[in-house]
Amino acid sequence: MSILSPEQQAIKQAAKEFVAKYIIPNAVTYDKTGEFHPFLLEASRESKIFAMAVPKEYGGLDYDALTQALVLEEWGYGCAGMGTTLAASILSMDSVMVAGNDDQKRRYFTPMINAEIGAFGLTEPGAGSDAGAGKTTAVKTGDEYILNGTKCWITNGGFASEFVIYALTDPAAGMKGISAFIVERGLPGFTIGQADHKLGIRSSSTVELFLKDVHVPAANLLGKEGEGMKIAMKTLDMARPAIAALSVGLAQRALDECVKMVQARFTGKNYPGQTLSFKLADMQIQVDAARLSLHNAMRLRDAGVPYSKESAISKTFCSDVAMQVTSQAVTLMGSAGYASELGKFMRDSKIMQIYEGTNQIQRLVISRAVLTPAPAMAAAQKAGK
Ligand code: COS
């Protein structure tokens, strides 16, 4: 188990209490209806938890990466769908953190402190794993850019007040022609599609976005033209461990609920034998190892050293563990498990292996790091490559 400071323990405990009060009692209902959860944003406003990734100079809580992961684990423990809302908002903020200037940070982060949410618009119908293949364009005219294109699978899109949208300012340059923009909800020509119906994380909002001649002030360009792909990659390095954290929470919850069911079913002479109890032990081994891989990535990030590989490892390992542990929990409880909340945990786990870069893409990132000598990789990352 990772050693936490007293402050981290207090923040974790507060998150646990918040989740027990607001998330756990509502998770099953919202999973059934597939509705989004504005009530939770309302409840979060007071705790300012959506501000945990915002630096103090912009009025935020400025938690370090490890502490943010502790909170996200608790949200994942309560409901991975609701946790996804928080994680996706931080994902969009990360792009502004990576490349925003002072004014952009102030404008983007201020609503987040009041529990408004953001969305990250990179994926397109023809550009998912191949993130550099997007077709959305941004043409500069005077002091504006005019954006045209379609984004898909955009988490929080239905309810976000602000978006980070990636678009080609120089289509001929391919991925070196991608740029990143802050786009506010409600601009003429910016429309939101129907909510997608999903296997899991059903209370989170996932939509298509349509941009038709959307005029965006040039002041909303993040960094410089052509820096979009690098901004996106750095953003995803920062954000992928959030999925690892949700996964750890999800896996721990499935294990805890499974243990309760085992204890209720097997009493006295029927107490589970080693066949079953050793499986529970294996599940706890997996969850603990996953948590440590997450904390390792977060400690590296907090230390300011390169952590792309460890970010990808934590995302892959933790989400694979969530899938295995939740599925095992259902298997152990049989029909009772299949008909219980364990089934929700299993459904919620699948997306953890898919979004914010599939685990196949993570393996690409990890294998490149493994095959590249460490000093060369560190130098490349230090140079912003
Ligand atoms: N930090 C900074 N820059 C990075 C980087 C990182 N972690 N990873 C890559 N880059 C840079 C590269 O250095 C390269 O720039 P130069 O050509 O100037 O050197 C540029 O970004 C493109 O990277 P690369 O050449 O590796 O591109 P590829 O197309 O080969 O691979 C992958 C890019 C597959 C890794 C990328 O498309 C990806 O992450 N895909 C998944 C997208 C995703 O996660 N989507 C989820 C959206 S949110 S639900």
Side-chain angles (χ1 to χ4, degrees):
M1 214 27 65
S2 196
I3 307 292
L4 304 176
S5 71
E7 193 191 359
Q8 286 168 330
Q9 286 174 32
I11 289 169
K12 186 173 168 61
Q13 183 57 30
K16 206 182 264 303
E17 286 165 16
F18 181 89
V19 165
K21 185 167 177 192
Y22 295 106
I23 297 186
I24 291 179
N26 291 301
V28 169
T29 306
Y30 280 78
D31 177 61
K32 283 199 177 118
T33 62
E35 279 172 25
F36 191 65
H37 41 72
F39 84 91
L40 187 60
L41 304 185
E42 199 56 49
S44 307
R45 191 160 293 141
E46 205 173 313
S47 71
K48 288 199 183 305
I49 207 60
F50 276 75
M52 71 177 175
V54 176
K56 285 225 166 77
E57 62 261 44
Y58 302 105
L61 296 170
D62 206 11
Y63 290 174
D64 60 30
L66 176 57
T67 308
Q68 289 183 43
L70 300 175
V71 173
L72 279 156
E73 179 185 332
E74 293 306 326
W75 280 57
Y77 191 93
C79 175
M82 296 182 189
T84 290
T85 304
L86 174 59
S89 205
I90 294 173
L91 165 70
S92 80
M93 283 193 262
D94 285 341
S95 285
V96 181
M97 200 77 75
V98 165
N101 60 33
D102 191 50
D103 172 58
Q104 290 167 337
K105 286 180 178 161
R106 198 167 304 286
R107 281 195 285 127
Y108 202 90
F109 296 154
T110 302
M112 305 297 157
I113 291 161
N114 293 310
E116 288 188 35
I117 54 174
F120 176 81
L122 177 66
T123 302
E124 298 188 10
S129 283
D130 188 4
K135 298 264 183 294
T136 298
T137 54
V139 176
K140 187 148 192 219
T141 44
D143 58 359
E144 289 181 331
Y145 286 88
I146 300 177
L147 270 62
N148 279 286
T150 301
K151 298 286 171 183
C152 62
W153 309 125
I154 305 305
T155 305
N156 286 353
F159 297 86
S161 57
E162 300 185 84
F163 299 74
V164 172
I165 299 287
Y166 289 81
L168 287 161
T169 41
D170 182 1
M175 71 170 82
K176 288 193 193 302
I178 300 174
S179 303
F181 298 89
I182 294 175
V183 178
E184 273 132 35
R185 190 187 192 82
L187 288 177
F190 185 24
T191 52
I192 315 290
Q194 294 293 311
D196 292 312
H197 177 79
K198 308 186 292 290
L199 173 73
I201 57 161
R202 287 171 41 77
S203 65
S204 71
S205 156
T206 315
V207 294
E208 267 186 306
L209 305 176
F210 304 102
L211 299 118
K212 179 130 185 32
D213 294 331
V214 179
H215 289 238
V216 174
N220 287 15
L221 172 71
L222 290 169
K224 296 198 188 98
E225 281 190 16
E227 289 182 348
M229 185 70 179
K230 280 200 168 78
I231 296 170
M233 293 299 106
K234 285 186 188 167
T235 299
L236 288 165
D237 277 350
M238 290 167 81
R240 283 171 176 154
I243 305 309
L246 294 180
S247 300
V248 172
L250 192 46
Q252 185 68 64
R253 176 78 185 286
L255 174 55
D256 289 354
E257 296 301 329
C258 184
V259 166
K260 279 187 215 158
M261 290 172 85
V262 166
Q263 287 169 334
R265 184 186 288 185
F266 300 96
T267 49
K269 262 208 326 227
N270 290 331
Y271 204 72
Q274 291 184 342
T275 308
L276 201 155
S277 54
F278 281 13
K279 287 207 162 68
L280 297 175
D282 281 339
M283 289 154 82
Q284 189 65 70
I285 291 168
Q286 285 180 289
V287 177
D288 279 6
R291 187 179 288 112
L292 287 174
S293 106
L294 166 64
H295 289 194
N296 179 48
M298 297 296 74
R299 288 187 200 282
L300 290 176
R301 179 176 150 190
D302 284 332
V305 299
Y307 68 105
S308 278
K309 173 167 64 79
E310 289 75 12
S311 164
I313 287 174
S314 71
K315 195 274 183 186
T316 310
F317 186 55
C318 297
S319 59
D320 284 350
V321 161
M323 195 69 251
Q324 288 158 14
V325 166
T326 56
S327 174
Q328 179 71 287
V330 171
T331 303
L332 292 182
M333 289 298 103
S335 299
Y338 191 67
S340 74
E341 207 178 349
L342 297 180
K344 171 185 183 298
F345 304 146
M346 194 177 117
R347 286 186 289 106
D348 285 350
S349 288
K350 189 64 207 171
I351 192 64
M352 303 292 151
Q353 297 177 308
I354 297 172
Y355 64 0
E356 292 199 24
T358 64
N359 283 3
Q360 290 75 22
I361 287 296
Q362 305 311 315
R363 288 184 167 91
L364 179 74
V365 171
I366 297 160
S367 64
R368 283 177 177 178
V370 167
L371 291 164
T372 308
M377 181 64 85
Q381 290 193 354
K382 208 168 168 194
K385 290 189 175 171

